[in-house]
Amino acid sequence: MHTAMRLHAQGWNSVYLPKVLSRGLVPASLGAFYSQQLKWSRGAFDLLIRVYPRLFPRFSWRQRLHYLLLPLYFLSGVVTLIDIAVPTLALVTTTFPWRVGLGEFTLHILPFTALTLLIRLCAQRWLREPHEAGLHLAGGILRVGSWWVYALGWFYALINIKVPYIPTPKEGRPATEWKISLPNILTAVVLIGAAKYGRGLSLTPATQFMSVLVLFNAAILLAAVAMAQHGILESILRTAAGARPLRRLLLLADRWRGQLGRQLVEGLRPAAGRFAIGLVSLYCVALVGLHSYQNHYIALERQWWPTQPDASLHLGQLVALPTASTPPPSDSTALVALDMPATVTPAQLQALKQTLAARRGATLLNWELKPGNRVNLQQIKQLELDKLKFPVLLRPVLYTSSASEFVHDWQQLVQQVRNLGGPRLIWVWTPPQDESLKAYFPGINYVDWIAVDGRNTPATPAEWYNPVRAQLAPSIEMHSKPVLLLMASAEKAKVVPKQLSESFPEVKAVIFDQVQTSVSQTKQVSFLEH
């Protein structure tokens, strides 16, 4: 490649001769293959970084494009590293880079996958041997399994580490190569561990989706490891060949696989260009339709921000429960908090039900459970939350005598409400005290939001929230949850939303108490019957 670059830079022309003049041998082992790929990738990146810029002015535009794209094949190592790292970090930190539904993801990934296949099939028109055509799945698995070799070649080129030239062995006996497969084995173990750890923290659709991605990557890496164990594979094939029915079955499967691959290539390749144009056209039409759908329902979807917190800071107010003499909040789309008394009368329950039905935005429902009172689940059922079109955040206030009792009662309450059926409520947990937050945390599957109550303190928000924040940050379970702050109405004039968002990016909502009453929390006896 270096020689060709210098010749083209000096004005020489070259002609491609599609004729096999000499046949070569492939590396005899995985170690030899990795050694060869390390030399090639390091050399290609070195030419791109150091030689290409120097010869760039002397190239034609076609040559500039050719020598820019040619080394990028080996960049697949860095791309695979990103593919491995992103879902793994998302599972470990419970922070997801892209929140999208399965349908929308499928809309984006299927055309990309199909176009990749069509490009591969179209490129096979230059193959000289008919039997070389096919899907080349084994080659794709081997390329993914070489990710760390290509990434190492890229790194060596960046810091200018030389790779000695050693001729690649082309002969040898099949061997079992575990040591050279260790990077892929260890990476697969980390991926499987991340999937198990992430699913233990949360079973949300985003977690499930990321788990599928990491397990898919782990399966490809383990397949590449299995392909490298030539000694074991040869022994298995020799044993299988000894059994006559199994040998026939293996030969039939191999013949069927080859025929299917060739038929697919021969059928799609002549029309690959037309298929690609049609696919891109359909994709564009689908995108326009999706955009129109989102714009049509954007006002409705924005009201569901509590289920998928965005970058905005949402401000709301705590108002008195409407009665016959006090009308509901005038702005039905703003975030509103309402108190459900511990002992609620039928008239109060009916007023609360009517207020929720009239709402056109998210509602925070504070539910105070007095010590010794049994949980009246029928009150929640009578609100008919399953008929509401907008989210309800439920913030129970529990009174217990210990952290273990608090966690048990919270989990039992959540499970009881879930057993009622209906909509999935958004559970808001308020730490019952400023210390030992982790001991009182009910678990990531029982909490959706964290509320911090600063209404009964004369200190500034930074003074009363920072100590709590210092306990939330080290915990993977707690720091992944959005935070809601409860403030006195007098603080509203002092709050600058932009500054608050920059100082505390995890804070996604602030409620100002217009009623000037807050639910106190003291250590009392359990409210649930055990």
Side-chain angles (χ1 to χ4, degrees):
M1 179 177 168
H2 190 191
T3 302
M5 292 176 71
R6 294 179 61 185
L7 288 174
H8 284 154
Q10 293 178 12
W12 287 77
N13 294 324
S14 57
V15 177
Y16 173 67
L17 179 63
K19 182 178 181 180
V20 178
L21 300 178
S22 176
R23 297 184 182 273
L25 298 174
V26 298
S29 64
L30 184 68
F33 174 76
Y34 281 168
S35 176
Q36 179 196 67
Q37 296 301 302
L38 180 60
K39 289 183 294 185
W40 287 2
S41 60
R42 198 276 179 199
F45 286 127
D46 188 69
L47 292 176
L48 179 63
I49 295 171
R50 294 177 177 83
V51 177
Y52 178 77
R54 199 169 61 244
L55 301 180
F56 180 84
R58 298 156 62 183
F59 286 146
S60 66
W61 281 107
R62 294 178 62 182
Q63 292 167 350
R64 291 171 182 173
L65 183 62
H66 172 75
Y67 288 118
L68 173 65
L69 298 180
L70 197 60
L72 297 187
Y73 168 83
F74 298 106
L75 201 61
S76 62
V78 178
V79 174
T80 303
L81 176 60
I82 296 173
D83 289 342
I84 292 172
V86 169
T88 303
L89 291 175
L91 287 170
V92 171
T93 63
T94 61
T95 302
F96 303 102
W98 188 26
R99 293 182 181 271
V100 64
L102 180 61
E104 187 175 349
F105 177 79
T106 304
L107 173 64
H108 293 300
I109 197 63
L110 280 183
F112 173 79
T113 305
L115 283 175
T116 302
L117 177 62
L118 290 173
I119 291 173
R120 180 178 291 272
L121 296 180
C122 190
Q124 292 183 10
R125 60 194 292 187
W126 286 285
L127 294 176
R128 303 307 302 165
E129 304 290 342
H131 68 274
E132 292 180 343
L135 299 178
H136 299 163
L137 294 179
I141 293 174
L142 188 60
R143 179 187 61 79
V144 175
S146 305
W147 69 272
W148 63 275
V149 178
Y150 297 150
L152 194 61
W154 173 75
F155 178 71
Y156 280 178
L158 283 181
I159 61 176
N160 202 22
I161 293 180
K162 304 295 183 182
V163 176
Y165 176 77
I166 301 175
T168 303
K170 303 296 177 62
E171 297 178 353
R173 294 179 57 82
T176 301
E177 301 177 276
W178 290 110
K179 290 184 179 180
I180 199 67
S181 300
L182 275 178
N184 285 334
I185 295 175
L186 295 176
T187 304
V189 170
V190 170
L191 291 173
I192 296 172
K196 181 176 178 57
Y197 180 75
R199 287 169 56 84
L201 291 179
S202 173
L203 286 177
T204 63
T207 305
Q208 300 282 43
F209 179 65
M210 289 297 172
S211 298
V212 171
L213 289 183
V214 298
L215 292 177
F216 180 72
N217 287 332
I220 294 179
L221 295 180
L222 291 177
V225 171
M227 290 170 58
Q229 314 315 315
H230 301 291
I232 296 177
L233 293 176
E234 187 180 64
S235 176
I236 293 174
L237 291 175
R238 191 184 305 114
T239 303
R244 203 165 185 179
L246 185 58
R247 179 182 180 183
R248 289 181 177 177
L249 182 62
L250 291 175
L251 290 174
L252 181 63
D254 184 66
R255 188 181 303 113
W256 177 80
R257 179 190 60 81
Q259 290 177 352
L260 179 63
R262 285 191 292 272
Q263 289 175 0
L264 181 63
V265 172
E266 293 171 359
L268 289 178
R269 189 172 61 197
R274 293 191 293 273
F275 273 123
I277 294 174
L279 190 63
V280 172
S281 301
L282 288 176
Y283 178 62
C284 292
V285 171
L287 282 184
V288 171
L290 178 64
H291 182 71
S292 301
Y293 172 83
Q294 290 177 337
N295 284 344
H296 181 70
Y297 291 97
I298 193 68
L300 174 64
E301 293 178 355
R302 279 179 178 170
Q303 304 308 323
W304 284 91
W305 58 265
T307 60
Q308 295 183 346
D310 50 26
S312 304
L313 177 64
H314 299 267
L315 304 180
Q317 59 181 351
L318 173 66
V319 299
L321 184 64
T323 61
S325 58
T326 59
S330 57
D331 186 357
S332 61
T333 62
L335 173 61
V336 168
L338 299 169
D339 283 332
M340 186 167 75
T343 305
V344 61
T345 65
Q348 290 175 321
L349 195 64
Q350 182 64 23
L352 180 59
K353 176 182 174 181
Q354 293 176 354
T355 301
L356 292 175
R359 296 278 299 131
R360 293 296 180 267
T363 304
L364 173 67
L365 189 59
N366 298 311
W367 188 17
E368 184 181 10
L369 300 166
K370 289 292 186 180
N373 287 1
R374 293 188 60 186
V375 178
N376 190 351
L377 297 177
Q378 291 303 316
Q379 293 178 351
I380 295 295
K381 194 169 185 179
Q382 290 172 20
L383 293 177
E384 297 182 349
L385 301 178
D386 56 324
K387 296 182 180 179
L388 301 179
K389 298 181 179 180
F390 299 91
V392 174
L393 296 87
L394 189 60
R395 177 178 168 262
V397 178
L398 278 59
Y399 299 84
T400 61
S401 58
S402 67
S404 59
E405 200 172 23
F406 180 93
V407 171
H408 177 273
D409 288 354
W410 180 283
Q411 292 179 349
Q412 185 175 345
L413 173 63
V414 172
Q415 198 58 49
Q416 288 175 340
V417 174
R418 286 175 178 172
N419 290 340
L420 293 177
R424 179 182 178 274
L425 296 174
I426 302 168
W427 291 90
V428 182
W429 171 69
T430 305
Q433 60 181 29
D434 294 340
E435 299 177 355
S436 305
L437 264 64
K438 193 170 184 179
Y440 284 88
F441 187 67
I444 197 168
N445 292 323
Y446 295 90
V447 174
D448 299 300
W449 279 68
I450 296 177
V452 182
D453 194 345
R455 292 175 290 177
N456 294 330
T457 174
T460 63
E463 292 174 340
W464 56 259
Y465 175 58
N466 271 328
V468 178
R469 189 181 192 231
Q471 297 184 65
L472 299 177
S475 171
I476 293 178
E477 293 181 325
M478 292 192 289
H479 90 260
S480 64
K481 299 297 182 181
V483 175
L484 180 148
L485 299 182
L486 297 169
M487 296 186 186
S489 59
E491 298 291 332
K492 187 172 184 179
K494 305 176 185 178
V495 172
V496 180
K498 184 177 180 181
Q499 292 180 357
L500 185 63
S501 297
E502 292 176 351
S503 301
F504 309 117
E506 71 279 6
V507 175
K508 300 300 181 183
V510 178
I511 295 288
F512 297 99
D513 190 349
Q514 300 294 110
V515 186
Q516 294 301 313
T517 59
S518 62
V519 177
S520 61
Q521 298 191 54
T522 57
K523 293 185 179 180
Q524 302 283 347
V525 296
S526 174
F527 71 96
L528 285 172
E529 290 185 348
H530 302 297

